[in-house]
Amino acid sequence: MKTLFSLLLLFFPSGEALTDVPFGFHPAPWISPDLHDPAYLLARDFVSQLTLTEKVNLTTGTGWEADRCIGATGSVPRLNFTGLCLMDGPLGVRYTDLNSAFPAGINAAATFSRGLMRKRGEALGEEFNGKGIDVMLGPASGPLGRSPKGGRNWEGFGSDPYLAGVGMAETIKGVQDRGVVACAKHFILNEQEHYRGSMDVRIDDRTIHEVYLWPFADAVRAGVGSVMCSYNKVNGTYACENEWIQNYLLKGELGFKGFVMSDWGAQHTTLGSALSGLDMAMPGDGGPPPYRAWWGGALTEAVLRGDVPQWRLDDMAMRIMVTYFRIVSNSTSSRPSGGPNFSAWTNQTFGPLYSASNTSWVEVNKHVNVQADHAEIIREIAAKSTVLLKNSRSVLPLSSNVSSIAVIGNDAQSWNPNSCSERACIPRPGTIAMGYGSGTADFPYLVSPASAISARCSSLSIPFYNTTPNWDLPTAIARASKASVAIVFVAATAGENFVSIDGNVGDRNNLTLWDNGDALIRAVASVNPNTIVVLHTPGPVLLEYAATHPNVSAILWAGFPGQESGNGIADVLFGDVEPQGRSPFTWAAKEEDYGPVDIVYKAEDPKNPSQTFPEGTLIDYRWFAQHNLTPVWEFGFGLSYTRFSYSNLQVTKMLIPEPLELKKETGPAPTFGTVSKNLSAHAVPEGFQRITPYVYPWLNSTTGFITSNASISDFPASARNGSSQQILPAGGGEGGNPELYEVLYVVTVEIENVGKRKGVEIVQLYIQHSQTSPVVVLRGFDEVPLNPGEKKLVALPLTRRDLSNWNTDSQNWEITSDAKTVFVGASSRDIRLNASLPL
Ligand SMILES: *[C@@H]1O[C@H](CO)[C@@H](O)[C@H](O)[C@H]1NC(C)=O
Ligand SMILES: *[C@@H]1O[C@H](CO)[C@@H](O)[C@H](O)[C@H]1NC(C)=O
Ligand SMILES: *[C@@H]1O[C@H](CO)[C@@H](O)[C@H](O)[C@H]1NC(C)=O
Ligand SMILES: *[C@@H]1O[C@H](CO)[C@@H](O)[C@H](O)[C@H]1NC(C)=O
Ligand SMILES: *[C@@H]1O[C@H](CO)[C@@H](O)[C@H](O)[C@H]1NC(C)=O
Ligand SMILES: *[C@@H]1O[C@H](CO)[C@@H](O)[C@H](O)[C@H]1NC(C)=O
Ligand SMILES: *[C@@H]1O[C@H](CO)[C@@H](O)[C@H](O)[C@H]1NC(C)=O
Ligand SMILES: *[C@@H]1O[C@H](CO)[C@@H](O)[C@H](O)[C@H]1NC(C)=O
Ligand SMILES: *[C@@H]1O[C@H](CO)[C@@H](O)[C@H](O)[C@H]1NC(C)=O
Ligand SMILES: *[C@@H]1O[C@H](CO)[C@@H](O)[C@H](O)[C@H]1NC(C)=O
Ligand SMILES: CC(=O)N[C@H]1CO[C@H](CO)[C@@H](O)[C@@H]1O
Ligand SMILES: CC(=O)N[C@H]1CO[C@H](CO)[C@@H](O)[C@@H]1O
């Protein structure tokens, strides 16, 4: 442990060292040979034929805007391998046309429907595949949503790790089933946009395991092909250079077999990134001269110098190619050959193949329509993700007996939603259906609430009025007082820090509505007793006044529903779709109630911003439970148009299978082919025409090395050690030790629809790990459609992992001896039944 301790001191100089780590954080784990896996065999045959520079080409992007995609790797022309095309983002293909704009991840989460999450993933995969894209840069569970104001929370699946893990796994399976590699991002702790490029997040071992790493474990278990390391630092070291999170946690403990790519520009060194487990540098350029890249030619030099062992480079290449052969080239979806059939960098039909060099003008945009029938699933998710937060006097669903309807607010209106780049519009004359930044896509169209509701009204012969004055309250009041029902549409937005709206640099500056929204609600409610509020927001806003206002009869959160926004909300308002959305985050009465999780807007030391997470595992509803705080609406909350009763909770202990015989050691690191020591063999071939400013893998000089190897002394010898390594106790399979996923108990409960309408109940299962804490955590859910009077038995499995806590000493999951209770109910606070677990 002595060498380990000094290693820790070296890399975590001001952090607390772990004790008894059985396996250091070096070397970077390699994928073990799997001779039963056809993808492994194909990759082995392919990589074995590659020269050093060809291998390096696979690991390094060709540079920002060099090719047609957001990211593109080098190619291997000798073997007809065209390289990989990587594109944003998590809700649709960004920077192209004739694509769909799907509901955001936060809406997929709010459906609490594994089936809809999967279908959304499949449809996304079909669109990326149809454009000739190899890697979709999503889904995201980082940020997880520690702070409700986090700019990119809406791209992911809400602030509960269990729900986020399900969202990740279902999306990944859907996308990859359609022949596109998914990318789980951003790994890890990129919880805020302010200072994201330098923020040092200092996090304890238990919190990272039980909260932030959890959804990534589900992603790895689902077979995700790639992971994107994030911009921030973790315990003093940049994420993409961090041997603890990449070598130890991701590749060691979680057994990740795909490749790790850097976020765009998140790589900072040649050796640090290579030896800590990075496999692909994106976008490839941005490093120092002469190569203008941290990898490319600089990595070729590092391998020739021996600073990066051949096995490490070979493992990078294998991880990329196994993934490619497993997911892309084996796809049953027809994939046009020859790379993408669009360019991210121009909307014109003719344009440069090589955008940064403005050369090779061809028909670069084929304008392939990939939308198919995806509008249907988009509309279904838009409706089923709508969370009915309040419905007093049963004002909803609306029916033909309503004598008139007024729609009020900018946020209901039709407009050109693509009129501002990155969806960062101020002022915004129309409805909002996604956030801003790189997690966006261009809308093919956007159905506004006003147009959809107006169409409904005309078919039901209900007089319809529409007004837009967010700032002109007298007009809003005049209109609202004349209608029998007034529907107010209000919004807030959030996004990524490279664009700023109204001073919101990605993260929201406050938790109130934008554009005078609160005043508009109050004005309308002051005169109309059937005021319905619809919210398009990236997360919670402070709405206690509306929740308790007698004239605000209904409140619905519609999130960021995508292109079918208006149809989706109309389906719920008029009762064509039963509301089944449940809030994937907690709505506090006041901001302080969330705990010490505020965004660091102004760092004490702006050059070295750092952040601890003092709340530990207690984010969102867990914090409220621990501190006995009452939220306005809790995590998991959502009303229905009918009512459900819960009965007959039973816990069945399953047979505990024998522990699996795990391999205790890996084999030694394999190498594929040989690397010539002859420097001339790695020079640019004679007569090769460079495309400026492409990043290439070739040596700049054949007489000696140009880059410095000075920093190799920063690394312990273990960083280059390719001999057999111990397998971590919590490891041994994709997603960790396979035993963690064994079902130990099955919880059954009967649900009955005791109302007069059909409806969908979202049954939720929470676990209390220890009686000394009031905190319960989500560990299961199911979507249960029921007709009036119908009753169903629902079975919810509980795995070893679900019942475990992370033990920092043993570095393993452990079911503590504390008594544990199972709670089943309709939200994190609306618990209907409980039972103790027979341990
Ligand atoms: C391709 O997919 C088929 C069907 O799922 C599977 O049997 C086969 O092993 C896969 N091949 C590769 C190279 O992954
Ligand atoms: C590396 O990729 C670039 C860009 O695709 C290509 O021009 C070059 O020939 C490749 N180099 C090797 C060694 O294959
Ligand atoms: C590459 O493609 C060309 C043209 O289709 C073909 O003639 C050649 O055999 C291919 N080479 C390899 C190594 O597959
Ligand atoms: C990271 O820092 C935290 C807080 O200082 C500490 O508790 C934890 O042990 C550190 N992790 C590692 C791997 O050093
Ligand atoms: C392409 O068109 C979209 C939608 O109108 C627009 O948002 C985007 O800025 C355009 N991109 C370029 C490169 O002109
Ligand atoms: C790019 O090339 C085209 C065609 O050669 C030319 O018309 C255009 O001006 C160039 N654009 C820039 C920015 O150099
Ligand atoms: C309309 O009818 C429904 C039942 O169909 C009833 O619940 C609701 O209160 C009525 N609304 C109005 C405004 O009369
Ligand atoms: C909150 O931020 C939004 C957007 O910048 C702004 O419109 C609103 O006025 C702010 N709210 C308050 C109370 O300052
Ligand atoms: C509710 O609306 C009625 C008009 O129908 C109005 O008289 C009353 O003041 C409103 N209540 C509140 C609390 O604003
Ligand atoms: C080194 O490689 C170059 C180019 O491939 C070749 O011409 C030369 O003969 C090689 N030198 C030795 C010593 O093998
Ligand atoms: C590489 C690729 O995706 N090519 C397709 C682009 O779109 C045309 C249709 O216009 C297809 O024929 C290509 O196969
Ligand atoms: C140090 C060195 O040799 N740099 C060369 C690298 O290649 C570029 C372009 O080919 C030359 O301009 C540099 O002199």
Side-chain angles (χ1 to χ4, degrees), residues 345 347 418 423 442:
W345 313 117
N347 287 339
N418 295 331
R423 309 294 86 82
D442 288 348

Side-chain angles (χ1 to χ4, degrees), residues 304-644:
L304 288 167
R305 278 199 311 257
D307 293 349
V308 172
Q310 186 197 333
W311 63 257
R312 178 74 268 268
L313 176 67
D314 288 357
D315 184 59
M316 297 176 192
M318 283 296 289
R319 285 172 177 274
I320 294 165
M321 294 313 297
V322 172
T323 302
Y324 174 79
F325 285 119
R326 177 166 65 91
I327 298 168
V328 181
S329 75
N330 194 35
S331 162
T332 49
S333 320
S334 58
R335 163 66 62 86
S337 61
N341 54 20
F342 71 99
S343 167
W345 313 117
T346 177
N347 287 339
Q348 306 301 309
T349 299
F350 285 85
L353 266 184
Y354 312 114
S355 182
S357 66
N358 194 26
T359 54
S360 258
W361 278 54
V362 295
E363 191 186 340
V364 74
N365 278 315
K366 298 273 174 61
H367 307 289
V368 180
N369 189 333
V370 292
Q371 299 165 87
D373 59 359
H374 299 158
E376 289 171 21
I377 184 76
I378 290 170
R379 178 175 182 163
E380 187 179 352
I381 294 174
K384 293 187 174 173
S385 61
T386 302
V387 184
L388 182 61
L389 294 166
K390 180 177 181 181
N391 189 16
S392 56
R393 303 193 303 273
S394 299
V395 65
L396 293 178
L398 299 171
S399 61
S400 48
N401 59 8
V402 171
S403 54
S404 65
I405 292 179
V407 158
I408 298 171
N410 293 350
D411 188 58
Q413 308 306 319
S414 301
W415 65 311
N416 173 4
N418 295 331
S419 56
C420 341
S421 66
E422 319 297 348
R423 309 294 86 82
C425 288
I426 260 295
R428 185 176 42 78
T431 191
I432 190 160
M434 65 174 70
Y436 58 91
S438 69
T440 56
D442 288 348
F443 285 95
Y445 59 83
L446 172 55
V447 178
S448 71
S451 67
I453 294 169
S454 151
R456 276 322 154 95
C457 286
S458 82
S459 69
L460 296 171
S461 306
I462 302 171
F464 170 81
Y465 307 99
N466 184 15
T467 46
T468 65
N470 269 32
W471 301 92
D472 175 4
L473 299 180
T475 303
I477 287 171
R479 174 47 68 207
S481 58
K482 285 186 210 123
S484 67
V485 169
I487 313 179
V488 191
F489 283 82
V490 285
T493 188
E496 193 175 353
N497 77 354
F498 73 94
V499 265
S500 150
I501 318 188
D502 196 24
N504 295 264
V505 188
D507 304 313
R508 280 191 281 167
N509 285 339
N510 62 48
L511 283 179
T512 57
L513 290 164
W514 291 30
D515 302 333
N516 214 30
D518 292 301
L520 186 65
I521 293 172
R522 288 180 206 269
V524 170
S526 71
V527 294
N528 189 310
N530 289 320
T531 300
I532 296 171
V533 174
V534 179
L535 305 157
H536 288 125
T537 65
V541 287
L542 302 178
L543 276 183
E544 194 178 27
Y545 72 89
T548 54
H549 196 298
N551 287 354
V552 175
S553 304
I555 304 178
L556 304 98
W557 177 76
F560 287 158
Q563 71 194 38
E564 289 283 332
S565 173
N567 287 331
I569 194 69
D571 287 345
V572 172
L573 290 171
F574 290 89
D576 301 310
V577 172
E578 302 306 316
Q580 76 169 67
R582 300 292 183 263
S583 184
F585 45 77
T586 293
W587 302 67
K590 50 187 195 307
E591 201 181 320
E592 306 81 82
D593 289 353
Y594 287 104
V597 295
D598 200 11
I599 302 291
V600 176
Y601 294 98
K602 269 204 169 355
E604 280 170 35
D605 178 358
K607 289 219 174 72
N608 299 294
S610 81
Q611 181 175 31
T612 58
F613 288 8
E615 75 288 353
T617 60
L618 303 177
I619 60 170
D620 199 74
Y621 67 93
R622 303 161 186 229
W623 180 265
F624 285 75
Q626 178 76 17
H627 296 277
N628 198 18
L629 296 160
T630 306
V632 179
W633 300 293
E634 67 273 16
F635 174 88
F637 178 79
L639 299 169
S640 167
Y641 292 153
T642 184
R643 288 175 302 114
F644 302 95

Side-chain angles (χ1 to χ4, degrees), residues 28 61 70 79 82 106 113 159 163 195 240 303 311 338 366 564 607 627 683 690 734 737 758:
I70 286 279
L79 300 178
T82 50
I106 197 76
S113 166
S159 48
L163 178 61
Y195 301 106
C240 299
V303 173
W311 63 257
K366 298 273 174 61
E564 289 283 332
K607 289 219 174 72
H627 296 277
R690 282 176 189 267
E734 284 174 285
N737 189 331
K758 67 182 163 82

